[in-house]
Amino acid sequence: MAKRGHRPSQAPAGRPRFWGRHAVTAALANPERVVRKLWATREALASLDIPPVIPITFAEVTDLARLVPSDAPHQGLVAEVDPLEDIWLGDLLEQSADDQRPLLVLDQVTDPHNVGAILRSAAAFDALGIITQDRHAPPESGTVARSASGALELVPWVRVVNLSRALDEIAEAQFWRIGLTGEAPMSLGEAITGGGRICLVLGAEGEGMRRNTEEHCDVLARLPISPRVESLNVSNAAAIALYAVATRG
């Protein structure tokens, strides 16, 4: 069957390098992930069972530090990997037709630390997947993988060309699209009553959702935070919203 949905407009360039025990061991455990090379200290490898097809270079800590960004906590492990194959939105929606888990849509959230943290929360609260624009989101990278603490290998990440068309397709799959914004009169708790499939839409820190994205939501809602705080980091907001959906009555 032909794949359906919105194809990314361009393939990611090059192979990312992952570092740190959680990111590297999760990549090794993912049957969909191709690990091309592994650099490691002998101590870090002592407790790991590495497939014999993966080339291993033993290295000292100082050598590994030169393979990753400055001060990156590699914990004695660095891996070069292939990016995961594209996931198509239509396929994800079709395969989960009877699934009540929430979806997350990120509108121009570009910070890799935030996207990684959101992936981690999505795994913790068993989200169906996250959807981003391919041109306004970070590529797979060591920073994303490290911040996700293994969740990059667990949570489907769909990249689309046009977020508005993707939100239309999500609505056709019977999702109630809730855009999170601090100016909304309705609270998230009020917006998620009544059951049904939930899609949470979050915008970039500072700018928030674009107007066209807001117009493709069914309702706008806010998190009930203290007026002493202007806003939350987008990854914190995502975690709180996912918890609210997971524990709704």
Side-chain angles (χ1 to χ4, degrees):
M1 182 184 70
K3 293 182 181 292
R4 302 181 297 112
H6 306 292
R7 183 172 193 156
S9 59
Q10 58 186 1
R15 290 182 180 138
R17 285 180 180 170
F18 292 175
W19 60 83
R21 178 167 290 273
H22 285 300
V24 172
T25 56
L28 289 167
N30 183 2
E32 303 300 320
R33 174 75 74 184
V34 176
V35 178
R36 294 291 182 177
K37 300 177 184 176
L38 188 64
W39 295 268
T41 63
R42 294 186 183 276
E43 293 78 11
L45 281 178
S47 60
L48 299 180
D49 184 17
I50 307 299
V53 296
I54 298 177
I56 300 173
T57 299
F58 292 102
E60 298 298 325
V61 169
T62 52
D63 299 322
L64 295 177
R66 287 191 278 270
L67 298 175
V68 298
S70 177
D71 299 325
H74 56 72
Q75 297 176 299
L77 290 170
V78 179
E80 184 177 272
V81 304
D82 285 351
L84 293 172
E85 289 190 16
D86 294 339
I87 300 171
W88 295 67
L89 178 58
D91 287 348
L92 179 65
L93 295 174
E94 182 178 357
Q95 293 161 8
S96 62
D98 299 320
D99 198 320
Q100 293 298 306
R101 291 180 293 165
L103 269 176
L104 276 175
V105 173
L106 307 181
D107 184 17
Q108 298 193 326
V109 178
T110 57
D111 187 294
H113 296 92
N114 279 334
V115 173
I118 290 169
L119 281 163
R120 187 174 185 177
S121 293
F125 293 108
D126 202 24
L128 185 61
I130 72 167
I131 295 100
T132 65
Q133 276 186 295
D134 63 328
R135 290 185 180 274
H136 299 284
E140 285 188 28
S141 67
T143 300
V144 171
R146 172 72 182 182
S147 299
S149 193
L152 179 58
E153 312 300 325
L154 302 174
V155 178
W157 181 356
V158 178
R159 297 174 181 272
V160 300
V161 174
N162 188 300
L163 207 58
S164 297
R165 288 204 301 268
L167 284 165
D168 285 341
E169 192 171 349
I170 288 166
E172 290 170 6
Q174 306 303 310
F175 279 88
W176 183 245
R177 301 163 301 178
I178 302 174
L180 292 181
T181 174
E183 292 76 36
M186 181 183 294
S187 72
L188 178 60
E190 295 169 319
I192 61 176
T193 57
R197 309 180 84 187
I198 298 294
C199 171
L200 298 166
V201 186
L202 296 98
E205 221 172 319
E207 296 85 0
M209 285 180 291
R210 292 169 296 164
R211 181 180 297 276
N212 195 40
T213 303
E214 288 189 359
E215 292 172 351
H216 282 78
C217 293
D218 296 297
V219 66
L220 300 179
R222 57 178 167 77
L223 296 175
I225 63 173
S226 167
R228 293 180 296 175
V229 177
E230 182 179 352
S231 64
L232 289 173
N233 174 283
V234 65
S235 63
N236 292 334
I240 293 167
L242 284 168
Y243 173 78
V245 173
T247 57
R248 62 179 168 163

